[in-house]
């Protein structure tokens, strides 16, 4: 695929659940070899966006294309072929506890290729070496730390030499040092393998460390897509300069900085609380769900 063509392209994407719009009119192009960070607060639609990109959900409107193919037009066999071309690092690592690290990494190779056991073993060693876990190949997930589980999950995501890597909150639940190590691993893999990386996160230190471009979701809408340098300059804007920013830019700045006060926190006004307080009653069962044993 020419480098000028997006490897992932979203046009007018919308997703609804029970009549509630979770994502609305999303346009996004991700280019081959770049690291795109998709960020936003809790409930902004990040996780739904990721599930749409990997084909777990289909959009209610619009199109999502990977490698030039519209996901909504593919049958199960076609979707499975697309999935062989990308890998996913789940937030928890999602390793199989009954398998060793080597067996976890070998599983997709064994399931989706016809190569012999000797080549599988070599591939597993290579992938575990890439994430610094080759000497721990025979250990089970219960015997390693949270950061090691993330790295093992990444080795499994790399098993089929994917062109795209999806990361779901790769730094979540990790201490600062381990989080920084994961960030450096993502950067190194992108450079060494030339893979396109899509990272869903709300950890700003991690986002600024790894991103080429960043996309900001808010209440289901894509409000800004820019290079990392643009967001970094906005984050460093002084309080005096921020007064002249647009409402959208001030909202983004508050999120990037983690400020307690700003447009995001102003949404919860006293008027909203009063309207809710005097509105329809919340259903509370008369019978407690837990009964005392005494």
């Amino acid at each position: 695929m020419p480098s000028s063509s997006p490897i992932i392209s979203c046009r007018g994407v919308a997703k609804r659940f029970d009549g509630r719009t979770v994502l609305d009119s999303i346009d996004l192009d991700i280019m081959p070899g770049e690291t795109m960070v998709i960020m936003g607060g809790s409930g902004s639609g990040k996780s739904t966006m990721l599930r749409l990109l990997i084909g777990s959900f289909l959009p209610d409107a619009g199109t999502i294309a990977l490698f030039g193919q519209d996901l909504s037009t593919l049958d199960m066999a076609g979707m499975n072929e697309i999935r062989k071309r990308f890998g996913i690092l789940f937030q928890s690592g999602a390793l199989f506890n009954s398998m060793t690290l080597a067996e976890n990494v070998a599983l997709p190779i064994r399931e989706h290729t016809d190569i012999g056991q000797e080549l599988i073993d070599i591939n597993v060693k290579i992938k575990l070496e890439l994430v610094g876990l080759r000497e721990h190949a025979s250990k089970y997930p219960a015997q390693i730390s949270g950061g090691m589980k993330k790295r093992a999950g990444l080795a499994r995501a790399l098993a089929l030499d994917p062109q795209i890597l999806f990361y779901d909150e790769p730094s979540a639940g990790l201490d600062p040092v381990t989080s920084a190590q994961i960030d450096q691993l993502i950067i190194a893999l992108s450079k060494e393998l030339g893979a396109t990386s899509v990272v869903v996160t709300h950890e700003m230190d991690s986002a600024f460390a790894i991103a080429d471009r960043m996309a900001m979701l808010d209440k289901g809408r894509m409000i800004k897509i820019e290079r990392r340098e643009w967001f970094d300059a906005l984050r460093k804007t002084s309080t005096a300069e921020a007064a002249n920013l647009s409402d959208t830019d001030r909202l983004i700045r508050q999120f990037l900085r983690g400020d307690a006060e700003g447009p995001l926190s102003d949404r919860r006004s006293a008027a909203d609380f009063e309207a809710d307080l005097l509105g329809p009653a919340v259903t509370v069962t008369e019978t407690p769900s837990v009964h005392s044993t005494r």
Side-chain angles (χ1 to χ4, degrees):
M1 178 179 292
S3 60
S4 60
S5 301
I7 197 168
I8 301 173
S9 183
C10 302
R11 288 291 176 272
V13 172
K15 186 64 183 176
R16 305 175 188 90
F17 295 101
D18 299 324
R20 183 171 65 92
T21 299
V22 178
L23 290 172
D24 187 21
S25 303
I26 301 296
D27 291 331
L28 177 65
D29 285 335
I30 300 174
M31 309 306 291
E34 79 169 330
T35 298
M36 171 66 78
V37 168
I38 300 175
M39 58 188 180
S42 299
S44 61
K46 302 189 304 298
S47 295
T48 301
M49 187 73 200
L50 179 62
R51 288 178 171 84
L52 286 167
L53 292 175
I54 65 176
S56 292
F57 297 149
L58 289 178
D60 294 312
T63 60
I64 298 176
L66 268 65
F67 311 107
Q69 299 184 64
D70 184 348
L71 298 187
S72 62
T73 66
L74 299 175
D75 57 15
M76 184 59 69
M79 191 64 231
N80 286 338
E81 287 301 313
I82 287 287
R83 285 176 175 147
K84 292 177 187 178
R85 300 173 68 182
F86 64 73
I88 309 169
L89 174 60
F90 297 96
Q91 184 171 337
S92 62
L95 299 172
F96 292 101
N97 291 325
S98 60
M99 296 181 178
T100 65
L101 303 190
E103 290 168 342
N104 268 280
V105 178
L107 182 61
I109 305 174
R110 188 171 287 118
E111 289 290 321
H112 298 295
T113 72
D114 297 323
I115 66 175
Q117 186 60 46
E118 185 177 352
L119 284 177
I120 290 176
D121 290 342
I122 292 172
N123 270 282
V124 168
K125 289 177 182 178
I126 290 172
K127 298 307 185 291
L128 288 174
E129 179 65 22
L130 281 172
V131 300
L133 290 178
R134 182 171 51 82
E135 66 274 21
H136 301 284
S138 61
K139 292 183 179 178
Y140 289 88
Q143 298 174 307
I144 60 177
S145 68
M148 292 170 73
K149 289 177 184 177
K150 287 283 179 82
R151 285 189 279 152
L154 184 51
R156 186 180 60 187
L158 293 167
L160 297 177
D161 298 316
Q163 294 168 264
I164 304 173
L165 283 166
F166 293 101
Y167 300 85
D168 183 12
E169 299 285 1
S171 301
L174 301 179
D175 65 80
V177 173
T178 305
S179 177
Q181 290 173 340
I182 294 293
D183 292 341
Q184 291 305 310
L185 183 56
I186 293 172
I187 294 169
L189 289 173
S190 295
K191 291 180 178 178
E192 292 174 14
L193 305 178
T196 303
S197 298
V198 182
V199 184
V200 172
T201 186
H202 58 254
E203 300 283 347
M204 287 299 96
D205 288 342
S206 176
F208 279 102
I210 63 179
D212 292 315
R213 287 196 299 148
M214 306 169 82
M216 175 80 178
L217 280 168
D218 180 56
K219 298 177 72 173
R221 299 187 67 88
M222 190 68 75
I223 59 174
K224 185 67 72 172
I225 304 170
E226 278 289 353
R227 292 197 59 79
R228 178 190 63 220
E229 292 82 2
W230 184 92
F231 284 96
D232 194 32
L234 181 63
R235 178 173 62 161
K236 295 174 180 176
T237 301
S238 68
T239 302
E241 294 171 323
N244 299 318
L245 296 174
S246 67
D247 291 343
T248 297
D249 286 355
R250 288 193 299 113
L251 181 149
I252 297 171
R253 177 180 178 273
Q254 182 188 3
F255 178 81
L256 298 176
R257 294 166 58 91
D259 292 340
E261 297 182 359
L264 288 169
S265 48
D266 289 345
R267 286 175 177 170
R268 297 189 65 181
S269 65
D272 292 334
F273 174 68
E274 181 179 347
D276 185 46
L277 191 66
L278 300 178
V282 177
T283 303
V284 179
T285 58
E286 295 183 5
T287 305
S289 58
V290 178
H291 296 274
S292 173
T293 58
R294 300 178 61 184

